[in-house]
Amino acid sequence: MSRTLEDFAMLSREHRATTRAAAILATAALVAGGCKSSGAPAQGESPTLVAYTGQATDYQINFNPFAPTRIGGTGTIFQTLFFYNIVRNDKPVPRLGSQFSWNPAGTQLSITLRTGVTWSDGEKFTAADVVFTLGMIAKNKGMNNGGYAGHAAAVDDTHVTITFDKPSFVDGPSVLGKTYIVPQHKWKDIADPAVAVVKDPVGTGPYLLDEFKPQAFTLKANPAYWGGEPAVKKIRYLALSGNQAGATALKAGQIDWQTGPVPDLKNVEKSYSGYRAVVTPLNQIVLDTCSNAALGCQGPQTDPAVRQAIYRAVDRTQLNALAFENTGSGISPSFLLPGRDKALISAGLRNPTAPMQPDVAEAQRLLESAGYAKGSDGIYAKDGKPLALTVKTVAGWTDYITAANTIGQQLKQAGIKLTVQQLSWNEFVDAKDRGSFQLIIDSLYQGPAPDPYYVYNYFFSTAQTAKVGAKPGPNVSRFSDPQIDQALDTLKHTDPADIAARQAPLQTIQTRIEQAMPYIPVLTQGTISVYHDAKFTGWPTSDDLYAFPAIWQDPDNAEVIMRLKPSGK
Amino acid sequence: MSYYLRKFGFYLVALWAAVTLNFFIPRMMPGDPVDILMAKLQQRGSGVDPSARRAYELLLGTHTDEPLIKQYIAYLGNLVRGDFGVSVSDFPTPVSTVIATSLPWTVALVGIATVLAVLSGIVLGVFVGWRRGTWLDSLVPATTVLSAVPYFWLALVLVAGLGSGLGWFPLLGGYDVVLNPGWHADFLGSALYHGFLPALTIVISSIGGWLLGTRNMMVSATAEDFVLTARAKGLRERRIMIWYAARNAILPSIAGFAISLGFVVAGSIVTEQVFAYPGIGSKLLQAVQNNDYALMQAIFLVITVAVLAANLAVDLLYGIIDPRTRTGG
């Protein structure tokens, strides 16, 4: 370093402008020497939890819990009435509410609220705040991202009833577990709350906003929190440039909690000293098929026999090892989660979980009985058309690209030709929405409660689909089946607590889905979170998944943070 | 005078063309902002209720049946008023705020690095060209190799070596986020410390071009008759080098420098990605990935205007420093 500086200094005698350059360089070098120690916490200070949510550019301040671009505070500053743990079949955990009940028809929801809760500005939290929040959502359609269609009324300070026009058991979790309650006295004067930028949030939660900078913001513990001041005193959320930068920061020990793939997962504890990883199976990796010729889909995948043949020909063990570092796990063709929904899986299914080993003979039998014949090139064909399919994925999604290529190799053994096409993110989203695809490697996600109803309603109901060319809801396969629609309707009218009454419709759906298979089950994806175990204790583990341990999942992340304790090391 | 009028007329037409392309090209991208937003929320695996799509369409106001030509006219009107609209990906922040928070970082980092690269490149080029045939000539291939190396690779190697390996420099960020940005020594020091490595990568990777260009011009300038005359007059070597040879040799570099200053605001997307540095480059990436038309348009406009302005400045300046360009034919 010093030699370079001398060279510059020599040159600078020759040329005036270079003197300035050298001065700047020299300053930088001095600073480089002098500033290294900054940032280390002082002795005895409670450690700050540093989280990286995947924020890829600078933050723009907005803590409005209803904005799609909110930057945080949901669960930590603002709270819901209850907490639903979607990874385990737990009862809803009371937060601002203490209990709730439905009338038998499912048209009235009575909620009892917690007493002794105050807003962070000292005002008392009452039923009026809940009624106000729900009324505001109903009035401002741009805020109503949970499909709320009820009328809330306060019975007294601690009791609220919500009436619905139709049976709405299944809408409960989104109202109770996903709607963040805001203070009436602060929000009633906001003219258009949907687009309001909330800069100093007032909530009931365990944390308060400490300071905001575009590159990072900090929350501090709320000493007046109704559940007692949390043990982690400060949380800092960083903005980095994406997952690559996240991995670098993790490697340097600069972040304590990150969700996303890490290289060499098996050796996390060795390569990141003091860190541990938790792999949570939740999203289901599938091949979306454009399945419904009646709604405009074209291609061999509109034939259920082809979809079944692909399902049989996939070697899931090999795929898991090659594409997913063995973080995937078994998947049920009923799309129930093998762990959480074990009790619900129908005995009438041919495979309760998809076979991990391929059955090429069975795949070929299915194709032959559907009228396909093997050509001289080893590829099946029907009416002179070879059985060739294209699977679309996003350029840069390395795990899905590897998976699609591996599946392509495996299907070749069974006489099916699969071409992988990588698209830009925007093209991919467009193709998926318009139905201009044959296959897409994708994943199905869960709803607001640990209940398979939501997966079925989102991805298999006629109401959530549309013709090819028009934009559907989540049901991009264009699948439509009257039996399933009817069973979903029955579930909508049945109290989720009435397990016996839900049995029959759930079984119908499972059977029909296994037969039709509009989404070809691949594996259940493991969501990987890496956390600093040596600095804080109390993290969720695979044995005790008290919340979905992903930093970007709210309000689960707040549930985790509330339970953490500095380890004192 | 007509020379300057012609120039201004040309730049006005160029500006209009750029502004128009700016409007139409982003709209040819597949998908719309709400699709992308929904897909992104779903990708996270958090249960997004299907009714959120309708809510977000209403909220972001993207569901519009207005014909493109009407939107175009409204866009031109807004531009004249300096209203760039609201960013969809940072909703509901105005685009001007988004740019105002990120542009200073880029201008400071890339600006200083460009100035350093150009100055050191030109100075070294003048020396190497003057002393041609000596060991100094080996600087040319050495720096050219560094320019030819893919930038991201060079940056990652420096990060791995100086950042991770030796621990001399921080790996990420624009400053130590514990500090509050402001005009005080702690913050400025931290910002300089964090900016050093990114700036170094930019200087290393671009110095070669400047050096080579100046050196070659210098070689041909020293062969000119006026240098011979100066020698014959018995002037000092240094005076000939600087006031006779170099003064003529650096003319093309000055033009190149002004244009590269225009590109400073375009930032360096790769630099900002590798170093997680705050700046306009990462905002541009965000805008493109989210079909955020308003933000994209505004950033492209800033870049276009800066480049055009730099070109105009060079054109005008050239008329003065090199009178030959003013006379027609």
Side-chain angles (χ1 to χ4, degrees):
Chain A
M1 169 56 69
S2 62
R3 203 150 48 86
T4 329
L5 273 177
E6 274 165 29
D7 291 347
F8 262 97
M10 261 166 59
L11 283 174
S12 71
R13 265 172 253 133
E14 309 288 338
H15 200 285
R16 237 177 329 132
T18 325
T19 321
R20 259 183 318 185
I24 293 168
L25 263 178
T27 325
L30 285 176
V31 169
C35 247
K36 231 179 281 175
S37 61
S38 74
Q43 282 282 310
E45 204 177 295
S46 174
T48 301
L49 175 76
V50 185
Y52 176 56
T53 60
Q55 174 75 18
T57 59
D58 291 358
Y59 287 110
Q60 292 291 336
I61 190 162
N62 191 2
F63 290 93
N64 186 335
F66 307 101
T69 47
R70 60 174 182 247
I71 59 171
T74 39
T76 41
I77 298 174
F78 296 104
Q79 289 193 297
T80 55
L81 294 166
F82 291 84
F83 166 64
Y84 283 81
N85 181 6
I86 55 166
V87 287
R88 204 164 66 180
N89 212 346
D90 290 351
K91 284 208 159 55
V93 182
R95 287 293 162 232
L96 288 177
S98 56
Q99 53 190 24
F100 68 90
S101 62
W102 284 98
N103 70 345
T107 53
Q108 194 175 24
L109 176 62
S110 313
I111 308 163
T112 310
L113 302 179
R114 188 177 290 278
T115 51
V117 177
T118 53
W119 296 100
S120 53
D121 62 357
E123 299 261 342
K124 211 175 143 219
F125 161 78
T126 68
D129 294 310
V130 178
V131 172
F132 169 79
T133 304
L134 293 173
M136 179 173 69
I137 293 171
K139 208 164 61 188
N140 294 283
K141 296 210 160 34
M143 301 171 91
N144 196 352
N145 49 35
Y148 170 71
H151 314 277
V155 179
D156 55 39
D157 261 7
T158 56
H159 289 85
V160 175
T161 55
I162 307 174
T163 40
F164 297 88
D165 296 335
K166 357 176 238 222
S168 300
F169 292 114
V170 292
D171 295 330
S174 129
V175 175
L176 298 170
K178 286 281 173 190
T179 306
Y180 298 94
I181 307 299
V182 296
Q184 182 181 20
H185 63 275
K186 282 276 174 195
W187 285 66
K188 66 173 191 273
D189 299 326
I190 302 177
D192 192 353
V195 299
V197 174
V198 176
K199 288 192 174 168
D200 39 351
V202 170
T204 55
Y207 286 89
L208 309 169
L209 178 62
D210 187 20
E211 57 168 3
F212 173 86
K213 280 168 269 183
Q215 289 75 29
F217 66 90
T218 312
L219 305 182
K220 61 180 178 198
N222 179 1
Y225 179 54
W226 54 262
E229 185 178 349
V232 175
K233 299 300 175 205
K234 274 194 179 180
I235 322 165
R236 180 172 301 119
Y237 294 84
L238 291 187
L240 299 171
S241 60
N243 283 339
Q244 183 59 45
T248 312
L250 191 69
K251 188 86 195 156
Q254 289 169 352
I255 50 182
D256 299 321
W257 187 7
Q258 190 205 242
T259 301
V262 286
D264 197 15
L265 180 76
K266 255 180 291 173
N267 295 317
V268 158
E269 284 163 53
K270 229 184 284 166
S271 39
Y272 306 92
S273 155
Y275 284 80
R276 275 169 182 276
V278 56
V279 177
T280 320
L282 187 68
N283 291 346
Q284 293 153 324
I285 305 171
V286 294
L287 293 172
D288 295 346
T289 69
C290 193
S291 65
N292 193 342
L295 286 180
C297 292
Q298 286 173 345
Q301 83 290 348
T302 51
D303 182 350
V306 172
R307 307 198 288 260
Q308 292 281 356
I310 295 174
Y311 166 71
R312 301 274 166 192
V314 173
D315 181 346
R316 294 182 171 77
T317 308
Q318 187 192 42
L319 186 66
N320 199 5
L322 291 179
F324 300 107
E325 283 198 86
N326 285 318
T327 56
S329 49
I331 185 168
S332 167
S334 66
F335 291 103
L336 294 167
L337 291 174
R340 185 190 80 185
D341 303 324
K342 204 172 190 169
L344 297 174
I345 294 184
S346 160
L349 290 176
R350 268 189 296 172
N351 302 121
T353 55
M356 294 301 278
Q357 298 304 321
D359 187 346
V360 175
E362 172 68 6
Q364 296 188 332
R365 196 193 61 75
L366 282 164
L367 290 177
E368 278 155 20
S369 57
Y372 284 91
K374 207 171 203 171
S376 54
D377 55 352
I379 302 296
Y380 277 91
K382 188 180 179 179
D383 308 330
K385 277 193 200 152
L387 181 44
L389 291 155
T390 304
V391 59
K392 293 188 175 179
T393 181
V394 176
W397 289 5
T398 43
D399 51 349
Y400 278 7
I401 294 168
T402 313
N405 283 322
T406 310
I407 294 173
Q409 292 297 321
Q410 295 169 351
L411 293 188
K412 216 166 150 192
Q413 314 281 320
I416 303 171
K417 193 179 170 205
L418 189 74
T419 313
V420 181
Q421 190 186 6
Q422 297 184 27
L423 302 173
S424 79
W425 166 235
N426 311 50
E427 282 176 297
F428 172 79
V429 171
D430 196 52
K432 192 168 146 181
D433 273 347
R434 295 190 185 288
S436 52
F437 63 91
Q438 292 181 320
L439 299 173
I440 275 180
I441 183 159
D442 196 13
S443 65
L444 306 190
Y445 51 86
Q446 299 290 315
D451 179 349
Y453 165 82
Y454 299 98
V455 167
Y456 293 152
N457 185 43
Y458 292 172
F459 296 100
F460 297 91
S461 75
T462 307
Q464 294 299 346
T465 197
K467 277 196 182 125
V468 167
K471 285 178 192 174
N475 183 0
V476 291
S477 72
R478 270 73 188 174
F479 180 67
S480 171
D481 182 280
Q483 273 187 58
I484 290 183
D485 288 339
Q486 204 189 352
L488 284 170
D489 198 53
T490 314
L491 286 176
K492 227 182 253 183
H493 292 82
T494 313
D495 188 343
D498 190 348
I499 292 161
R502 283 163 64 97
Q503 191 88 4
L506 281 175
Q507 282 191 0
T508 311
I509 296 174
Q510 294 179 45
T511 315
R512 283 297 300 142
I513 288 177
E514 194 191 30
Q515 288 164 355
M517 209 165 271
Y519 303 88
I520 302 167
V522 177
L523 282 167
T524 304
Q525 188 163 28
T527 303
I528 304 161
S529 284
V530 180
Y531 55 88
H532 203 163
D533 197 49
K535 195 167 162 189
F536 299 99
T537 57
W539 298 93
T541 59
S542 353
D543 299 327
D544 183 17
L545 280 175
Y546 57 79
F548 180 41
I551 177 66
W552 34 251
Q553 176 85 350
D554 17 284
D556 298 57
N557 44 20
E559 294 293 320
V560 174
I561 292 167
M562 271 192 274
R563 295 204 194 194
L564 295 182
K565 287 193 170 59
S567 62
K569 273 177 216 165
Chain B
M1 199 60 218
S2 77
Y3 168 80
Y4 294 107
L5 277 180
R6 262 206 328 268
K7 283 283 163 204
F8 276 116
F10 169 77
Y11 278 101
L12 272 181
V13 174
L15 183 66
W16 171 78
V19 161
T20 305
L21 287 177
N22 234 346
F23 176 82
F24 287 102
I25 290 178
R27 280 170 176 73
M28 288 178 199
M29 284 169 50
D32 77 37
V34 174
D35 296 343
I36 306 272
L37 180 66
M38 288 294 290
K40 214 165 67 170
L41 293 172
Q42 288 162 2
Q43 212 56 50
R44 282 279 175 91
S46 47
V48 191
D49 197 275
S51 50
R53 176 190 288 270
R54 182 81 194 121
Y56 293 154
E57 274 173 1
L58 288 167
L59 187 67
L60 303 180
T62 53
H63 194 71
T64 169
D65 297 326
E66 214 179 341
L68 214 52
I69 189 74
K70 266 193 177 165
Q71 291 182 40
Y72 174 64
I73 292 166
Y75 158 79
L76 288 184
N78 285 338
L79 274 192
V80 173
R81 282 194 297 279
D83 175 6
F84 294 111
V86 167
S87 162
V88 172
S89 48
D90 278 324
F91 191 83
T93 317
V95 165
S96 43
T97 314
V98 176
I99 292 182
T101 49
S102 49
L103 195 57
W105 288 99
T106 299
V107 170
L109 174 73
V110 188
I112 292 175
T114 305
V115 170
L116 280 183
V118 173
L119 286 181
S120 41
I122 289 180
V123 169
L124 285 175
V126 165
F127 257 109
V128 174
W130 189 245
R131 302 260 163 85
R132 64 185 185 282
T134 65
W135 63 272
L136 279 172
D137 275 351
S138 56
L139 267 181
V140 175
T143 52
T144 322
V145 162
L146 287 175
S147 300
V149 168
Y151 171 78
F152 71 93
W153 189 80
L154 179 76
L156 287 174
V157 165
L158 282 177
V159 168
L162 300 179
S164 279
L166 296 169
W168 288 357
F169 295 104
L171 303 174
L172 298 165
Y175 61 99
D176 188 342
V177 290
V178 175
L179 303 165
N180 277 316
W183 294 106
H184 48 86
D186 277 355
F187 168 72
L188 291 178
S190 175
L192 272 175
Y193 178 40
H194 279 75
F196 187 82
L197 202 52
L200 185 68
T201 58
I202 297 178
V203 171
I204 288 182
S205 68
S206 59
I207 195 169
W210 298 107
L211 194 154
L212 184 67
T214 316
R215 183 247 180 208
N216 291 349
M217 283 306 295
M218 195 69 185
V219 168
S220 57
T222 43
E224 295 281 348
D225 289 344
F226 58 79
V227 174
L228 197 65
T229 315
R231 282 230 167 86
K233 284 200 288 186
L235 293 177
R236 279 186 301 131
E237 279 290 287
R238 177 169 298 171
R239 189 173 166 79
I240 303 172
M241 178 177 92
I242 295 172
W243 292 109
Y244 285 70
R247 197 182 163 190
N248 284 287
I250 62 171
L251 277 177
S253 298
I254 288 181
F257 173 59
I259 291 166
S260 68
L261 272 190
F263 280 105
V264 161
V265 291
S268 169
I269 295 177
V270 185
T271 313
E272 287 171 20
Q273 281 295 302
V274 171
F275 294 95
Y277 201 83
I280 201 92
S282 52
K283 280 291 168 196
L284 181 58
L285 198 65
Q286 170 195 325
V288 172
Q289 283 173 344
N290 294 291
N291 275 27
D292 188 344
Y293 304 133
L295 186 56
M296 242 186 289
Q297 276 161 3
I299 295 178
F300 285 138
L301 189 74
V302 169
I303 295 171
T304 316
V305 169
V307 172
L308 285 179
N311 268 297
L312 180 63
V314 173
D315 264 349
L316 299 182
L317 203 66
Y318 237 67
I320 295 166
I321 58 173
D322 193 353
R324 284 170 297 185
T325 53
R326 246 179 312 180
T327 51

